[in-house]
Amino acid sequence: MKFGGTSVGDEKCIGRVVSILEHYYKSGNEIAVVVSAMSGVTDQLHAIAEEVEKSSDEPPVDSFVQSIRTKHKKVLDAVAKDESEEVMKEIDKRLENLKNILTAVHNLRELTPRSRDYIISFGERLSAQIVSAALRQAGINSIPMNGCEAGILTNARHGCAHVLPESEPRIKSRVVPQMQDGIPVVMGYMGCTEQGIVTTLGRSGSDYSAAIIGAGIDADEIWIWTDVDGIMTSNPRIIEDARVIADISYLEAMELSYFGAEVLHPRSIEPAMQKGIPVRVKNTFNPSAGGSCVRATEHKDSRVVKGITYIEKVSLINITGAQMVGRPGVAKAIFTALAESDVNVMMISQGSSEANISVIVVDEHLERSIDALSNVKHGGYVREVTYDRDVVAVAVVGVGMAGTPGISGRIFTALGKAGVNLMMISQGSSEVNISFVVKEEEGPKALRVLHDEFELSEEEN
Amino acid sequence: MKFGGTSVGDEKCIGRVVSILEHYYKSGNEIAVVVSAMSGVTDQLHAIAEEVEKSSDEPPVDSFVQSIRTKHKKVLDAVAKDESEEVMKEIDKRLENLKNILTAVHNLRELTPRSRDYIISFGERLSAQIVSAALRQAGINSIPMNGCEAGILTNARHGCAHVLPESEPRIKSRVVPQMQDGIPVVMGYMGCTEQGIVTTLGRSGSDYSAAIIGAGIDADEIWIWTDVDGIMTSNPRIIEDARVIADISYLEAMELSYFGAEVLHPRSIEPAMQKGIPVRVKNTFNPSAGGSCVRATEHKDSRVVKGITYIEKVSLINITGAQMVGRPGVAKAIFTALAESDVNVMMISQGSSEANISVIVVDEHLERSIDALSNVKHGGYVREVTYDRDVVAVAVVGVGMAGTPGISGRIFTALGKAGVNLMMISQGSSEVNISFVVKEEEGPKALRVLHDEFELSEEEN
Amino acid sequence: MKFGGTSVGDEKCIGRVVSILEHYYKSGNEIAVVVSAMSGVTDQLHAIAEEVEKSSDEPPVDSFVQSIRTKHKKVLDAVAKDESEEVMKEIDKRLENLKNILTAVHNLRELTPRSRDYIISFGERLSAQIVSAALRQAGINSIPMNGCEAGILTNARHGCAHVLPESEPRIKSRVVPQMQDGIPVVMGYMGCTEQGIVTTLGRSGSDYSAAIIGAGIDADEIWIWTDVDGIMTSNPRIIEDARVIADISYLEAMELSYFGAEVLHPRSIEPAMQKGIPVRVKNTFNPSAGGSCVRATEHKDSRVVKGITYIEKVSLINITGAQMVGRPGVAKAIFTALAESDVNVMMISQGSSEANISVIVVDEHLERSIDALSNVKHGGYVREVTYDRDVVAVAVVGVGMAGTPGISGRIFTALGKAGVNLMMISQGSSEVNISFVVKEEEGPKALRVLHDEFELSEEEN
Amino acid sequence: MKFGGTSVGDEKCIGRVVSILEHYYKSGNEIAVVVSAMSGVTDQLHAIAEEVEKSSDEPPVDSFVQSIRTKHKKVLDAVAKDESEEVMKEIDKRLENLKNILTAVHNLRELTPRSRDYIISFGERLSAQIVSAALRQAGINSIPMNGCEAGILTNARHGCAHVLPESEPRIKSRVVPQMQDGIPVVMGYMGCTEQGIVTTLGRSGSDYSAAIIGAGIDADEIWIWTDVDGIMTSNPRIIEDARVIADISYLEAMELSYFGAEVLHPRSIEPAMQKGIPVRVKNTFNPSAGGSCVRATEHKDSRVVKGITYIEKVSLINITGAQMVGRPGVAKAIFTALAESDVNVMMISQGSSEANISVIVVDEHLERSIDALSNVKHGGYVREVTYDRDVVAVAVVGVGMAGTPGISGRIFTALGKAGVNLMMISQGSSEVNISFVVKEEEGPKALRVLHDEFELSEEEN
């Protein structure tokens, strides 16, 4: 079970977490918990790390550490008053280390990848202490474990470390014993290298930790507790009657991952998928709601389309030139230029004429994409590079689409009837996803039309 | 006007070419002609060049040159008997040079890019002599000009040279005077560098020569004489009632360029397009047929879809992996690997989930593509690389599709009704082309269905 | 004036330093002082830095800092008892920082070049506080200045930073005002980058600091106080009657720099030479002795030979091969191989046949030199690489040798008479130095013979 | 036995060669001969190769080939009139190939390393035919063999190929059988690659061929017939009473190789030295003179100095800078810069202070050396680069110098007495050579003094 940042956001939240865990634990389940930092803390740590490196004056290290202390102490006092003092000692030891490293970074004006990772891992170091104490307060045996103690071994790519396969047996041998008569609380987001250097796992790292731990201990299920009811059929901000998808396959969940505040990062699904462990997404604030269950065999379901994602703030770039035909190096030149400018390419389409490559990038990468591509243009292969900022990308997702002729016809006929003009279409051979791009002002209409076409607001049966 | 290899294939063909030229010339047109080598000759030159470099025994240089001589003499005697002897002297001088270089290559066992280009340019050197003589025989003033004399200046990329912009004024000042009272015959496929070194222009180089010359002399029209009636609505081998497209825009012609034995290489359209010169594709063997006219402003035409290409012998490669999400370097890694293995990528599709990139390559590149990609896989980003050999790519082309909602709906509904399963779809932002991939066995059906849907067999109006 | 480590080694030493300064200051001189760390401290800081990075257990940071504190406190109490308490506060602030950075390095197990420089600069940070306090105690106004405050700006090559020319005006504007009514005490060995990051200046860095400060303030003289009487005619361990050289030119001092515990690093002479400032080398423990004076115009002196250095623990490497003749790349290959193995080449000799290059390296670099050169050998140019460990290098130095024919005759005749066999000879075109290599067992004899030949034990006149 | 270009320069010369060979052959010796091209021919081939590549007009290939033919025919008619006609046919076949390749190079304007080697090997192809025919005329069985047929296998470094060790058994198995009842005439200067591509061996390549062949057939002696009487004690232009050295060791011969029009290139000594085969240098124009014999065990000889070389047109470059001390990369930077500017460094001297490196380069490399070094200077390590054009390098050579103390004393005392000022001295550890540099105007005096000091004009005993 993994609890995200908002789930451990204050004393009430932790109370909820404890009662949820109590409920499942007392029903006879063996449980390991992975926790995020309290909401906001990781961002604050990032910010202070940057600040102490940059500022030439004495930075507010003391007051920062004090505010972090106050925040955590308040929650701790509320959820585990018996042990409060003792746990506070542990926390103070950690805060001393935090103060030390922040001071050193300031004195050197040097924030290495290693020191950054060390600093931002403190959020989980503290929250896990509190959750663990709260469990003990509730009469459940519990110790906090950091990522390293829990056996998560990574490479040394700080800030975005890759978990090594050797982790699996380690996790099993370290976490499972702790589950015999209690609930170990593992700090999410962090691991360590063979040399014991702390690393962090990047975006959505705590979910990833949960998946890794779940796979490592051969869990029956992995539960991700978050602040929404589950994975939804579409963006509820646009489609008010969007619904939670109760049953969804791994692939579908991955494809939908972009939508709805990234409920679940695809990276967090992979370890589970490899072992066939179902991943349940539940709402801490509404634990009785069913949530979504992500699993291998898709539930018997008449639905071919499961959900429709809607990606805003993207731009379409179009690269043209007859000289491109038959030149093996053109795609290389284009994607090398984009990669070297650190542009993440979201959609690519090149039709059979080869004379035209269209890509979708997020708006904030547009400018440097155009810069990068104008160099390719000067290289001579490409005649023209144009772009359009006001577009949205829509992806229709469903495992059932593969092998069901006519789905694309339904999609594009529906869009055509609604008078929606398609700027770009892409369907890869997984056939689980048909993506297209439309003008921003036509986006909501396109989404609505398709949500209706596939009756996604109706109850599943 | 440009005449391809089959158009100057034997004495009868050249007769036809001469009467065509006579017809247009005597109607008061100023004409410059570009000719290919006689059909088969360029390939033979390629083969002998390889042979003399490799063979350790004395290679058959003499008998080869003799056979080339015989072939050309026979035609020359038939089409220009008055000057035959004199022209034969010119031809013999060239054959002497050919013999010389082949001997030198053999003695050194070294075929440099420069000597290869020199050797394979001999086909045009000979055919132009004959066509020019035949014109004189018919009472029309004519001299042969090699690419260098005609002003085609290129970079030094032998085998695939790029024409430099400085060529334009040169061509004008050299070719136009020859057109005042006669028809100059320019050897296609070849140019030269600033230093006078012979280069060749690569695939479809003679068409490219014609377009360059046409643009250089500001021709009213560029006529490409070939052995088919024009650009067709689809592959007539599959769609028996496919028709010639009378009027087609530059863009459409480029997009359709893959179909029907590559009637017109996109590279040959670009120079014409830049100057707005119409390109007419005509059949030497059926000169009265209307042919196709490629031009800027599309003819007022109710048709949104102009033609449908059909590409066989291709393979679909599918690259999957959740680790790909959010990693700017993945597309770079994939396309760099492919380019370094000299793989030409025909179609690309990456939907909005980023976890999946599909590409289409020609069958003969499949094996090395897979090899190249398995290295990327070991690099760790990619989980799986799969492929499917038995597929075809279909592209529906029409300028009218852009801005007309519903076309994609018509396409995919028609395909859906026919039960055709789509493995990959791609529409770039030019919106002139919707490409998709289907199982090979479903290809003809898909083609048929769409040809009917858009009534391409009907007379245009 | 600069005082080395042994000159500030204990309370007595500092007493001596203070009385020296008092003496000169009260005679009306304006003085700036540069101090090293107390002897041994820099090495201890190096050692603890390595230890905290490596050790997996809690390293003895506290006890280390405590011992450093005790050492400095003892001296401080002795030399500046009035201000002791106050200065101790300053020192404790610094020690707090030292403790902080050592702890951070341990927690991260990461010692960056920047943190290393920061740590090892603490020796000077502390000693300068004490010397400054001692001056105040003696009634002389004084403030300590770190390298950065004193205006020493360097590049970012940590551990061996290069002083930038912009330093000069900075030093003048910062140090000179402090000299108006007092003696500023500048921490040697350290500077900082434009961004204020602490750097250290490498081997003999404090002498270098002194030379830089001296040049920056346009000093009349630069005095280097050390623990020997001055630059000597030869190694007194071998030549018991070796004498201090009273007057010596910059060039001679540089050439002799290797001898006698490196009294003066050439790097420390250059800034002075550029401004023509005399550098005086004096003995803190024997201030009344004349010392050596290094200056531009050599003192009118009958002596052509000023001194003879004697370098032990070196090896001779001999590289042979007829293939080397006329190949421009051989020397490159050899010296690139050596440089990449970080071998410092002390002497090189290649006679006019080019078939043989001999080099001298220090013994500890021999093994990796041979390894590096065996790769060059496999490259094919070189036939053989041999070496001899038991050799010494001797250099006869004197500006007067240039342009005086017959000196080399005297040298080699004297050696020949003594039966000394020469393994290698080298005289570069500065003609200030004739170097040769002999068997180790013949070294002392060679040195003795030449010291006598040039009557170096006699009084200068 | 090898005969150089002047030895086969005209009919009289070849007559001499034949009578020399007849003499030795009939005395019962087994002989293989290596010949150079006739004098001047290789240079002419170089020149025409450049000309045909460059000239835009028809180059004078025919007249060139005709003149080469005339030259060789005249000699052939004189020395082998019986077979003249038949051999002329062989020669004409080769001239046909020469004409062919020159024409091809002209048509392509491309002279590749391979075609250049092929062209310049024709001198030996022709001379060997003539010498072989002349031998047959004299009643001695003989066939000509090209380098490839004789078994000389090289790498593909055209223009300066390296002979591979596999050549040895090949040479033995191919050349020895031809020596049973006749004298094979091997074309010098050329070899071929594994693929049979002709290569040439670079400067002094024919001597090198002779040494390779001699070593390959395990000859008792290798005789190099040239146009001087042997290796001399010094340059006879300066020392009129310089004498031929009758007996000289391999090492001494190598060291002296620079002197006297490069009688023997060191490269040509190495294969002989490795097998201990004596190399005899004889004068074709004075066969009765004793010549020089180069061999392993030096003849019992009281002389420690064997000869003194004198190298004019060289420049001394002096590189200074205190920053150089203790920096491993300085020598690398200097020699890399020089090598990349293709400068050949003749002498190097770096004394023990390291602050100064002096090098000697040939005058024509001076300018680019200075350019190259000024970049190193800007790199910051080096303070100053100065040079002196008017210098000469002198090397005193003798194996006996090694281990004889006092020789350097004699040398430098003699020079000192004569008032010669030494600018640079270098003796490497082979101790066979002491080199020094003096002002040009003092060069002859220095040479004279030393030639007298070591009584080199006296008869050896």
Side-chain angles (χ1 to χ4, degrees), chain A residues 2-219:
Chain A
K2 181 259 166 183
F3 294 91
T6 53
S7 305
V8 295
D10 62 22
E11 50 272 39
K12 280 195 212 136
C13 296
I14 293 190
R16 266 191 293 273
V17 166
V18 169
S19 58
I20 289 169
L21 287 170
E22 212 176 345
H23 171 70
Y24 287 102
Y25 182 67
K26 302 220 162 136
S27 331
N29 296 293
E30 292 189 346
I31 300 175
V33 173
V34 175
V35 293
S36 300
M38 281 171 68
S39 51
V41 172
T42 301
D43 288 347
Q44 287 170 31
L45 288 165
H46 262 294
I48 192 79
E50 298 289 336
E51 188 181 352
V52 297
E53 186 196 13
K54 300 276 153 55
S55 84
S56 39
D57 305 329
E58 199 62 40
V61 169
D62 283 349
S63 65
F64 173 79
V65 171
Q66 196 51 49
S67 82
I68 290 285
R69 185 179 195 279
T70 309
K71 178 172 194 161
H72 286 82
K73 183 167 192 318
K74 176 160 163 283
V75 175
L76 178 64
D77 287 347
V79 301
K81 65 173 181 301
D82 295 357
E83 291 193 31
S84 175
E85 202 172 330
E86 207 171 330
V87 172
M88 215 46 218
K89 269 185 213 149
E90 281 301 310
I91 285 179
D92 279 337
K93 255 203 271 180
R94 273 151 195 77
L95 290 174
E96 196 53 42
N97 283 336
L98 175 61
K99 204 152 113 186
N100 169 267
I101 186 72
L102 290 172
T103 306
V105 166
H106 176 64
N107 282 338
L108 299 174
R109 302 281 193 290
E110 179 181 47
L111 183 62
T112 62
R114 200 181 273 201
S115 42
R116 184 193 301 271
D117 263 11
Y118 183 64
I119 292 169
I120 60 179
S121 70
F122 273 89
E124 278 77 12
R125 287 174 196 270
L126 303 180
S127 65
Q129 293 287 349
I130 296 174
V131 172
S132 187
L135 285 171
R136 290 194 299 274
Q137 180 81 20
I140 301 171
N141 249 337
S142 174
I143 59 153
M145 303 178 85
N146 68 36
C148 206
E149 290 164 349
I152 297 181
L153 214 65
T154 73
N155 63 10
R157 226 168 121 183
H158 285 278
C160 185
H162 201 85
V163 175
L164 303 178
E166 299 92 287
S167 300
E168 206 183 310
R170 287 190 177 227
I171 292 170
K172 180 167 275 168
S173 69
R174 296 174 178 202
V175 177
V176 170
Q178 302 298 336
M179 295 165 66
Q180 310 301 22
D181 65 335
I183 301 179
V185 178
V186 179
M187 304 167 194
Y189 189 48
M190 68 186 283
C192 66
T193 65
E194 200 90 55
Q195 287 73 40
I197 311 304
V198 172
T199 52
T200 63
L201 305 178
R203 226 165 23 133
S204 301
S206 289
D207 285 3
Y208 188 33
S209 292
I212 290 290
I213 297 284
I217 63 175
D218 278 320

Side-chain angles (χ1 to χ4, degrees), chain B residues 434-449:
Chain B
I434 294 181
S435 307
F436 57 87
V437 174
V438 298
K439 283 266 167 212
E440 202 166 28
E441 66 262 28
E442 299 194 324
K445 182 168 64 176
L447 195 59
R448 182 76 260 171
V449 160

Side-chain angles (χ1 to χ4, degrees), chain C residues 162-236:
Chain C
H162 200 86
V163 174
L164 302 177
E166 298 91 287
S167 299
E168 204 183 310
R170 286 188 177 227
I171 290 169
K172 181 166 274 169
S173 69
R174 295 174 178 200
V175 177
V176 170
Q178 301 298 338
M179 295 166 65
Q180 309 303 18
D181 64 334
I183 300 180
V185 178
V186 179
M187 303 166 194
Y189 188 47
M190 69 186 283
C192 67
T193 66
E194 200 89 57
Q195 287 73 40
I197 309 304
V198 173
T199 52
T200 63
L201 305 179
R203 225 166 24 135
S204 300
S206 289
D207 286 3
Y208 188 34
S209 290
I212 289 289
I213 296 283
I217 63 175
D218 278 320
D220 293 327
E221 297 198 350
I222 295 166
W223 290 32
I224 305 289
W225 289 88
T226 176
D227 54 0
V228 296
D229 275 349
I231 301 172
M232 301 195 75
T233 54
S234 195
N235 189 332

Side-chain angles (χ1 to χ4, degrees), chain C residues 220-298:
Chain C
D220 293 327
E221 297 198 350
I222 295 166
W223 290 32
I224 305 289
W225 289 88
T226 176
D227 54 0
V228 296
D229 275 349
I231 301 172
M232 301 195 75
T233 54
S234 195
N235 189 332
R237 200 170 41 70
I238 294 167
I239 307 296
E240 323 75 43
D241 53 356
R243 299 182 48 264
V244 167
I245 307 169
D247 253 290
I248 186 164
S249 71
Y250 292 125
L251 267 183
E252 288 166 337
M254 281 180 175
E255 297 281 331
L256 286 174
S257 65
Y258 264 95
F259 135 82
E262 302 192 349
V263 178
L264 216 49
H265 191 277
R267 224 164 42 130
S268 313
I269 300 177
E270 231 180 4
M273 181 166 72
Q274 271 162 16
K275 290 225 156 176
I277 304 173
V279 178
R280 225 172 255 285
V281 180
K282 300 270 289 179
N283 190 344
T284 326
F285 303 91
N286 184 13
S288 63
S292 296
C293 179
V294 186
R295 48 180 147 177
T297 17
E298 60 272 29

Side-chain angles (χ1 to χ4, degrees), chain C residues 40-68 95 97-107 109-111 115-116 118-123 126:
Chain C
V41 171
T42 302
D43 287 348
Q44 288 169 31
L45 289 164
H46 261 295
I48 191 80
E50 298 290 337
E51 187 180 353
V52 297
E53 187 197 13
K54 301 276 153 53
S55 81
S56 39
D57 305 329
E58 199 62 40
V61 169
D62 283 347
S63 64
F64 172 79
V65 170
Q66 195 53 47
S67 80
I68 291 285
L95 291 173
N97 282 336
L98 175 60
K99 205 151 114 186
N100 170 268
I101 185 72
L102 290 171
T103 307
V105 166
H106 175 65
N107 282 337
R109 303 282 193 287
E110 177 181 48
L111 182 62
S115 42
R116 184 193 302 271
Y118 183 64
I119 291 169
I120 60 181
S121 71
F122 273 90
L126 302 180

